[in-house]
Amino acid sequence: MAQQARGVVVVTGGSAGLGRAISRAFASADYDVAILARGADGVAATAEEVRRAGRRGLGIQCDVGDHEQVEAAADRVEQELGPITVWVNNAMGGLFAPFTEVTPEEFERATRTTYLGQVNGTRAALRYMKPRNAGVVIQIGSALAYRGIPLQAAYCGAKHAVVGFTESVITELRHERSAVRVAMAHLPAMNTTQFSWVLNRLPEHPQPVSPIYQPELAARAVVHLAAQPRSRMWVGESTFGTILGNRMAAGLLDRYLARTGYDAQQTDALARPEIGDNLWHPVEGDHGAHGEFDDQSWSRSPATWMSMHRRTTVGAIGAVLAATAGALTFARRSAQG
């Protein structure tokens, strides 16, 4: 008999890519998992993986851009799995093209999924969590929430908006002295299915900007954040570098990205619709968590480990500084003696 669940987690966009890895990671950590996504095949396959891991899995077809669908999904999770303890807003929609080549309808659709999907998910989660005065909402952010890059104006704009929205909600909950926590996990480029089914108007096939990380690395960080929530968590060395670099030299990054940002986001292969375009409609089939860049992707990150073990890291740094100060004092006294 399976042990009692640690809680019930909802993962939006949980049927493929990073969301698939997050769903698996929570199941492995003894959570029951509800998967919200548009594609029937991926939703069903992910729920079955959760059940094979010994946990209850509930797949719900849902377009997170539609607040009524999200509210109905939350009601169903509460009724079938029980009280929602963690809600992960992961679903995203995007496209690769210069801004002037994106139609208003396409831009709005990507924004509706990536930004309003997180707004709708947060609203649905708080409707249940606030009266119980318990729960964690995790927003899947990005290094691109702080530094826009070319060819992804809709995605970068939406992720920037998520930061402003989330910071507002965090301050409101603190004002109310609520025990509900809202956290942001800002992530680097990852090897997910996104690059095989994104709407693409570039001459060559899109790719994540190096360095590329495997989605399981980020999934472990998200599970950690659910257990030890804090307002902001950075994952991956490149996330640290991008956010800090933009704070110190944004103008320099403007010029650098203007020169390199186009080539860095395209492979040497001609553009090809490997799976299909999922901006408007879900892609049929079950596509798992990984994209096509396994041989270029990192599974480990010292910066992420330190972010997940801040007390150990701070203690080690303090010990090194104390030892250094002691050694310098000893050397100075020896020289004086």
Side-chain angles (χ1 to χ4, degrees), residues 204-280:
E204 297 174 327
H205 193 65
Q207 68 176 2
V209 178
S210 182
I212 308 168
Y213 297 81
Q214 294 289 22
E216 288 79 11
L217 174 71
R220 291 193 296 270
V222 170
V223 174
H224 173 85
L225 195 56
Q228 301 182 39
R230 63 182 192 261
S231 299
R232 299 158 189 84
M233 181 179 186
W234 298 353
V235 176
E237 286 73 13
S238 57
T239 300
F240 282 77
T242 299
I243 295 175
L244 295 175
N246 195 61
R247 288 178 180 175
M248 293 184 291
L252 221 71
L253 277 176
D254 289 342
R255 293 189 288 274
Y256 174 76
L257 288 165
R259 290 196 310 270
T260 66
Y262 278 60
D263 289 343
Q265 295 184 81
Q266 299 180 75
T267 69
D268 295 331
L270 293 177
R272 58 192 186 277
E274 292 202 353
I275 301 176
D277 164 21
N278 81 331
L279 182 63
W280 294 103

Side-chain angles (χ1 to χ4, degrees), residues 5 16-17 24 34 47 57-58 88 99-101 103 111 118-119 127 132 143 152 183 191 243 253 261 271 290 302 312:
R24 292 168 177 169
L58 174 63
V88 182
F99 169 66
T100 53
E101 295 180 19
T103 69
T111 303
Q118 299 217 16
V119 173
R127 179 162 61 92
R132 292 194 286 258
Q152 294 196 61
N191 174 36
I243 295 175
L253 277 176
H290 285 208
T312 301

